[in-house]
Every structure is written in C-alpha cells, then in structure tokens.
Amino acid sequence: MKQENLAKITNLRHELHAHPELSMEEVWTRNHLMDFLRENTAHLEVVDCGRWFYAVYRAENPRGTIAFRADFDALPIEDNRPDLPYNSTIPGVSHKCGHDGHAASLAGLALEVDQNGADKNVIFLFQHAEETGQGAMETVDTLSQLGIDEFYAYHNYGGEAAGTVIVRNGIAHCASTGMTIAMTGTVAHASMPETGVSPALPIARLACELPRLSAPEQYTGLVLCTIVQIDVGKKAFGVAPGYGEISMTLRAEYEEELDKLAASVRSLAEQIARENGLKVEISFQDYFPETRNTDWCADKVRAAAKALDLPLCELEEVRRGSEDFGYIIKAIPGCNFGIAGGPEVPAPHTRTFDFPDGILETAVEVYKKLIEL
C-alpha cells in the first residue's frame, strides 16, 4: 500500500487507542472514523446508521459486491502501557482486543480503494459493540438489503509468526451466552438462620453441579461452563442472607449444544430452588452465535495469502472466544480469519496488549487481494 496511507492509518490507530469507548458508548470513535473517511476520500459515500456506519465505493461496471467489517469498541481494562505515547486517556478503559487496529486497517483499505479504484462495489462496515454481541446483530437487516455477495473480517492474534494468515473452514468461533441465576428467599438473624430461607447453600450446590452438566462425554463438540461471579448476601455478620446470584458463561462449539447446556442448568436451578423454598429468576445476556465460515470464502482467504506469499496456518480447533460476526455470515456468505502479530505479542484482553502496527499493511493487502480475486 502507499506509505502515505500507511502513515495515516497508523496515526489513526494511535488516536483511537488513546480515546477508547465501551460497547454502545462509541460516540467519539464513530464520529472520528467518519470524519477521517470524509476528509481523506473523494469517491466514497459515508452512510450514518446511528451507533454504526458504513461507506460505499461504487464501481462503474461492478462484477459483484464485496464487504468488509471492522469493530471499534473497547474493553473495561486498565491500560498498563505508560511507555506508549498514545496510552489510553480514559481510566479503566482500553483497546485491549485490537479493535483500534481493525478499524484503522479498514480505513486503510478505504483509502486504497478510493485512490486506485476497484472492479467491484465495496462496502466498508464500521461496527459498534462487538464485545457484548450486540453490534453485528443490529446491522444485519440493513446489510441484507445491500446486495452483498461475500463478507470478510479479520482478528489479530499472537502465537504465529507476524503476518501469518489463520483460517478455518466451518465453525471458527464458539457460540456463547452469559447466564445469571438469582435465588430469593427470606432474610433472618444470623443467630436464628432456621427462621429464614437462605440461598447460600443452594447456590453452592448448583455451582458444584455445573462440571457434571458440562461433562464432555455428553456433547459432540467443545462445551464449557465458566462461573464468573457468585454474590450472596453482604458482610453483615448478624444477617443470614435472603438473596443471591450466580453468573456464568456458557460456551459451545455448536449452538444446539449451547441450548442443551442452558436447558440443563435451568432445569437444575429450578429444581434446587423448588426443593429449598426459593424463588428463582434466570436471565441471559451477551449472546453470540457460532461463527461458521463459508467454505468458498475461506478458500478465497487462502488464495489471497498464497498470492501475497504470506504464511498460512490452518486452525485445527475451534476458537473458544466468541465473535459476533457470526450474525452477519448467517445471512451473507463470509469468512472471519486471523492475522498474527507475532509470538512476542501479549494475548488480547490482557493489560499489556497493544495492537501490533506491523500487521496493518498486511491486513490491507489481504483485503485488496480478496477484492481482486
């Protein structure tokens, strides 16, 4: 890509990194990206869709329509990199998943297509709220009306040599959901616990049963149940609690097995509550579908890597982390692939992670090749 464009998107990435915003709060981020495209392109239409936006390049005699997605939300993690001149300016919030790099890469593709043209219509989707699973879901109805033939997105990873393209046919990312079970009984004096109904031991019993419910011999694919929080009562030594919650993340390679696990946990929770005279309420949030790549789209990613002489890694096992791009490629053929930043890069979602600028150009070149193929 043009070095002037690379310098612009590297600076853009640093600006985004310094001003992170959580899911559903990405006002500055969205506006800054829209302003960047309007100021640096001449042939793109920028379409504001509220929390998210997309840009369109229209070819004169298009041989199809191709689309690319970049997410732009951040995480509630402190930025532990004071050595960086672009360290987060927002306490407790940072781009520890690399979405600043994803957005900058897509902006770089927009600059290149705007300046060099393309023989396809190209849609550039800049999407909010990937981390909570809300963003892609909110875009699908609009995107489905744009005549898109194929859709691509990438995520940065460590482990492999820098620039390695990582791809998998079929399911690439697990389905998952957050599940909270609340049990309500009756508060009592701690000296007379028998006069109340405490959820403490019933919730403890449920927690101890979860490994049995998620035991691998009951499932075809990977299944996990991870307790993320247990909260029963308060540190008030004269009070036996009357309310408690347990929250967990359910994760499965196949959506139907995620549903099976959720139904098993619900059934046991209701049984335990009933046996102990407790009221139970169950809620779900942050639902992610399985991300199932379209085989011919994954093959195009392989072909792009080969044409660019990039290392290629075939992902043997499904990634446990979820990805809301799965909503989009349920409606439109597509592929979510990876680009490695190098084995020395800390894992995403850790305090020392910073998106490796060295793969910005790689991402843009892979995207450009996918347009050409």
Side-chain angles (χ1 to χ4, degrees), residues 6 15 25 40 44 72 100 102-104 118 149 179 191 199 248 268 276 278 297 307 322 334 338 348 352 355 364 373:
L6 180 57
E15 291 174 337
E25 299 177 8
N40 290 282
L44 269 59
F72 55 61
D100 51 344
H102 301 168
D149 301 304
M179 182 178 192
S191 67
M248 64 201 77
L268 181 58
N276 289 274
L278 295 159
C297 293
S322 299
T352 56
F355 180 92
V364 174
L373 292 173

Side-chain angles (χ1 to χ4, degrees), residues 176-295:
S176 68
T177 187
M179 182 178 192
T180 296
I181 298 168
M183 293 186 180
T184 304
T186 307
V187 175
H189 195 286
S191 67
M192 296 184 290
E194 71 278 5
T195 64
V197 181
S198 171
L201 292 179
I203 286 178
R205 176 185 163 193
L206 176 61
C208 291
E209 291 282 350
L210 293 177
R212 176 179 65 81
L213 298 182
S214 57
E217 60 269 16
Q218 304 171 74
Y219 302 94
T220 302
L222 173 71
V223 170
L224 293 170
C225 179
T226 305
I227 296 172
V228 298
Q229 184 181 34
I230 298 177
D231 187 5
V232 181
K234 299 179 180 179
K235 192 180 289 186
F237 296 100
V239 180
Y243 179 83
E245 291 184 356
I246 178 171
S247 295
M248 64 201 77
T249 301
L250 308 182
R251 193 177 306 276
E253 184 170 349
Y254 302 104
E255 286 179 31
E256 61 266 26
E257 296 198 325
L258 178 67
D259 294 341
K260 175 183 174 180
L261 176 60
S264 296
V265 175
R266 174 189 287 274
S267 178
L268 181 58
E270 291 173 343
Q271 175 191 332
I272 291 173
R274 187 168 55 250
E275 291 174 355
N276 289 274
L278 295 159
K279 177 183 176 184
V280 63
E281 295 181 2
I282 299 173
S283 60
F284 295 89
Q285 65 187 83
D286 291 9
Y287 181 84
F288 290 81
E290 63 190 26
T291 299
R292 185 184 291 269
N293 287 336
T294 307
D295 286 352

